[in-house]
Amino acid sequence: LVPARIHLKGREQIAAAHAVAAAVRHLSELEAAFKATDLAKAALDFGLPATMGKIEQRIAQLTEQGALQKGRGAMQGWLTRADALALEARMLAEIAKGKGVVPSIVRASEAGPLLQASANISFGMTLNAGQEAAGRMILSSTNRVVAVHGVAGAGKSSLLRPTAQIL
């Protein structure tokens, strides 16, 4: 993300290159894709002596070089790292290879009562309907990889404790 022989560039170009690289790393820790405007703002927020023009120029260079990829369709105006796309492709390939290849641990009809008993006896809680459904999916799936998705505070971590106990 920082060009080779950067030391031969001017002060503003060096600052812009470092600010954009730091902003890409920072935003990439949070999300796989980010708005180009958020990248520029994050780069400026580092407080290095770089102008918006130089930051936009560096973002354009990284896009032209393929280090950053532009979003298409509904994601127009968004960017992602090329290596993030490659990682996603590898993950999706592994997920596809793991579909239907393992036996289920518990039948779906038995998983709910087992989860509730584990949650209640071991952790003093009752799983809500969404948590129980996610636990049934984990325990009865024949897929090697099962993902549970939910907003912060939805109870994903709480669900995993009784599920892990059954595993």
Side-chain angles (χ1 to χ4, degrees):
L1 294 173
V2 176
R5 300 169 44 155
I6 185 75
H7 63 283
L8 300 176
K9 307 285 183 188
R11 177 177 181 235
E12 248 188 62
Q13 283 181 295
I14 293 170
H18 283 287
V20 170
V24 167
R25 285 190 296 270
H26 172 71
L27 293 175
S28 295
E29 288 176 3
L30 306 172
E31 298 288 342
F34 37 85
K35 292 180 183 177
T37 53
D38 291 342
L39 176 58
K41 181 188 179 317
L44 285 170
D45 286 347
F46 280 103
L48 296 176
T51 63
M52 183 63 165
K54 292 291 184 190
I55 286 173
E56 288 174 332
Q57 185 178 51
R58 183 62 190 152
I59 293 169
Q61 288 170 345
L62 289 172
T63 304
E64 289 167 17
Q65 294 167 359
L68 293 176
Q69 301 286 313
K70 289 182 177 182
R72 294 180 289 246
M75 298 304 286
Q76 202 164 13
W78 289 66
L79 298 168
T80 190
R81 292 175 62 147
D83 58 346
L85 288 177
L87 174 62
E88 181 180 34
R90 287 193 311 273
M91 288 171 49
L92 291 173
E94 289 300 315
I95 290 168
K97 282 192 329 192
K99 285 194 181 242
V101 299
V102 296
S104 64
I105 296 163
V106 177
R107 284 194 293 265
S109 59
E110 299 169 3
L114 279 173
L115 282 163
Q116 290 295 0
S118 174
N120 210 317
I121 294 166
S122 299
F123 304 104
M125 63 183 199
T126 301
L127 300 175
N128 66 35
Q131 290 170 312
E132 184 180 318
R136 279 195 317 271
M137 178 185 67
I138 292 169
L139 294 171
S140 65
S141 178
T142 59
N143 298 333
R144 187 175 306 276
V145 177
V146 177
V148 176
H149 178 75
V151 298
K156 298 175 300 292
S157 296
S158 296
L159 146 75
L160 292 177
R161 293 186 343 213
T163 305
Q165 191 173 46
I166 294 168
L167 294 173

